[in-house]
Amino acid sequence: MQRNKKILLVSHCILNQNTVIEGEARSFGAIPTALDWIQKEGLGVIQLPCPEFTFLGLERPSMTYEEYDNKEYRQHCRNILLPVLEQLTEYIKCGYQITGILGIQSSPSCDMTRGIFIEELKKLFIEHQIAITTEWFLPDHKNPIFNSKENYIKRN
């Protein structure tokens, strides 16, 4: 079977709600509507590491953007993104398209417009000349329904 050579970067907890802090999970495992869309589109997936989990563990407190906005956490984000950057570079070298990123609305780390981890990811993309034109987001609801035609930000 022929591959479509399209790769989507996905925030860790969209595929694994077990990394979400206690009481904040939105699904038993993965977010079904996001998985359905990924499968329908035939996208390959790179699951981004969860920076909050790898920084403070599973029993971490709920924290805000401002609390995570420090040099140590930003450096941690950059460090755990290096293997992802290596994968993307290889995909691009072999003619694959990085379709976009699917993040989490209102996350202090993975919000597409104001998340520390996503900010550091975008800086690395600029440094390495990796273009991302579409950013999707899982809406901030207890039972989120992902709709790719509504939940996106188009970049030039």
Side-chain angles (χ1 to χ4, degrees), residues 70-114:
N70 61 68
K71 184 178 178 181
E72 184 181 14
Y73 184 66
R74 285 186 179 274
Q75 187 59 53
H76 173 74
C77 291
R78 290 179 75 86
N79 290 343
I80 64 174
L81 282 166
L82 293 178
V84 172
L85 190 62
E86 290 174 5
Q87 290 176 57
L88 292 175
T89 302
E90 180 66 16
Y91 276 122
I92 291 166
K93 180 179 93 178
C94 293
Y96 284 70
Q97 175 190 358
I98 310 306
T99 303
I101 306 169
L102 175 56
I104 310 283
Q105 188 178 43
S106 299
S107 164
S109 295
C110 292
D111 185 291
M112 296 310 302
T113 58
R114 190 174 187 256

Side-chain angles (χ1 to χ4, degrees), residues 6-12 14-15 34 37-38 43-49 81 83-89 91-92 97-104 110 112 117-118 121-122 125 130-137 146:
K6 293 182 180 179
I7 304 292
L8 177 70
L9 297 169
V10 180
S11 289
H12 190 91
I14 290 175
L15 302 176
W37 173 70
I38 291 167
L43 299 171
V45 170
I46 293 180
Q47 182 179 19
L48 294 169
L81 282 166
V84 172
L85 190 62
E86 290 174 5
Q87 290 176 57
L88 292 175
T89 302
Y91 276 122
I92 291 166
Q97 175 190 358
I98 310 306
T99 303
I101 306 169
L102 175 56
I104 310 283
C110 292
M112 296 310 302
F117 185 66
I118 298 298
L121 176 67
K122 289 177 181 179
F125 281 4
I130 297 173
I132 298 293
T133 58
T134 307
E135 302 169 0
W136 289 273
F137 58 90
F146 174 71

Side-chain angles (χ1 to χ4, degrees), residues 11 13 35 42 66 81 102 119 128:
S11 289
C13 65
L35 283 179
E66 291 75 19
L81 282 166
L102 175 56
E119 290 171 3
H128 294 272

